[in-house]
Every structure is written in structure tokens, then in C-alpha cells.
């Protein structure tokens, strides 16, 4: 236990985090309709699971997407996430997940909510992996091009 407390302090790897933001932006743009509007939903069937991306907000420079699993009783439920796409910077960031309304870049550890030191990095990496999974194995329930 003493080794854990005296170990190196965690520092955010900004370059790695920005790489994930950039790839998530590109992947989300491949999965979303080209001229999405508020309320637009894109559903994907992957194996026996159904996932959906719903556009909840559009502003001049950003778009907010809610990512969720739409199965009635999912075997491996995907956490509900809110992702903000910044079009001027061409990055996408998970800004909320489940009961976390604002995700910090770094958390002290241990903490009362049991968040990992690199919770933001892990959530964005998870989104990246999930988007890759949908792009490789998913079938859109609606025509991609309108």
C-alpha cells in the first residue's frame, strides 16, 4: 500500500487523448447522417445487439450526440454516453457517461466515487473501441445516404 501512495503522480497524456478525440470524430462522422438534424437517430445492428446515435443538439461549431444501446434487455449493456463533436477542431469528446455529468481529466485516487485516475481517457478509449466495432461489424437499420 505504501508503494501505491509514494508512486509517481498521474499526468494526463494530452497527445494520446487528442489522438483519441480526433479518431473518434472521424469515426462518428462515418456513422452519422451527412446532414444530421436535432432528433435524428441512426441505429446499428451488431451481432444480436442494437445501438443508436441520437443527435440532441446542434450549434454553429458543435454537435452533441447521445450514444446508447437500444436493446430491451441487453446482455452486455453499453454505458449511455453524451459526446460533443467540435467541428472547428475536428475532435469528439465524451462529456457525460451514466451518472457522471462532467468528466474531469484527472481524479485523485482513491476517491469517494471510485473513479480511476484516468477516467476521461478510459471512457474516450472505450468509445473509440466501440465505434470501431460498429464500423467493422455493424449494419445500419436505415439507408446511410438520404
Amino acid at each position: 500500500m505504501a508503494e501505491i501512495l509514494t508512486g509517481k503522480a498521474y499526468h494526463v497524456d494530452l497527445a494520446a487523448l487528442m489522438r483519441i478525440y480526433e479518431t473518434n470524430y472521424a469515426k462518428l462522422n462515418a456513422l452519422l447522417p451527412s446532414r444530421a438534424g436535432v432528433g435524428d437517430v441512426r441505429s446499428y445492428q451488431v451481432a444480436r445487439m442494437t445501438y443508436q446515435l441520437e443527435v440532441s443538439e446542434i450549434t454553429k461549431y458543435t454537435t452533441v450526440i447521445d450514444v446508447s444501446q437500444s436493446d430491451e434487455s441487453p446482455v452486455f449493456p453499453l454505458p449511455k454516453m453524451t459526446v460533443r463533436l467540435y467541428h472547428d477542431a475536428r475532435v469528439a469528446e465524451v462529456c457525460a457517461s451514466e451518472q457522471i455529468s462532467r468528466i474531469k481529466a484527472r481524479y485523485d485516487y482513491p476517491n469517494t466515487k471510485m473513479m480511476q485516475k484516468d477516467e476521461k481517457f478510459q471512457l474516450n478509449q472505450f468509445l473509440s473501441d466501440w465505434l470501431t466495432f460498429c464500423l467493422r461489424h455493424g449494419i445500419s437499420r436505415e439507408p446511410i445516404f438520404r
Side-chain angles (χ1 to χ4, degrees), residues 7-75:
K8 286 184 168 181
Y10 171 74
H11 296 284
V12 177
D13 184 348
L14 189 57
L17 193 56
M18 289 306 293
R19 277 192 301 275
I20 290 174
Y21 288 171
E22 290 169 353
T23 58
N24 284 350
Y25 182 86
K27 292 173 188 177
L28 275 166
N29 277 310
L31 291 168
L32 288 169
S34 59
R35 296 184 191 258
V38 174
D40 283 355
V41 175
R42 178 57 52 100
S43 296
Y44 288 92
Q45 184 75 35
V46 185
R48 295 185 192 166
M49 299 165 281
T50 306
Y51 302 105
Q52 73 178 28
L53 304 171
E54 181 176 359
V55 179
S56 60
E57 178 184 312
I58 296 176
T59 64
K60 187 174 182 179
Y61 298 108
T62 65
T63 301
V64 177
I65 308 295
D66 293 321
V67 179
S68 62
Q69 190 165 359
S70 55
D71 295 321
E72 288 185 25
S73 55
V75 177

Side-chain angles (χ1 to χ4, degrees), residues 19 48 70 77 80 107 109 120-121 144:
R19 277 192 301 275
R48 295 185 192 166
S70 55
K80 293 180 182 176
Y107 289 89
Y109 194 82
K120 183 179 224 69
F121 183 86
I144 298 282

Side-chain angles (χ1 to χ4, degrees), residues 106-107 109 111 114-120 122:
R106 185 175 85 64
Y107 289 89
Y109 194 82
N111 57 64
M114 294 305 296
M115 306 295 275
Q116 296 297 314
K117 290 179 179 183
D118 62 344
E119 192 79 20
K120 183 179 224 69
Q122 287 187 36

Side-chain angles (χ1 to χ4, degrees), residues 21 25 61-63 83-95:
Y21 288 171
Y25 182 86
Y61 298 108
T62 65
T63 301
V83 181
R84 184 174 303 273
L85 286 81
Y86 298 91
H87 303 297
D88 54 344
R90 302 182 61 79
V91 295
E93 169 190 25
V94 175
C95 51

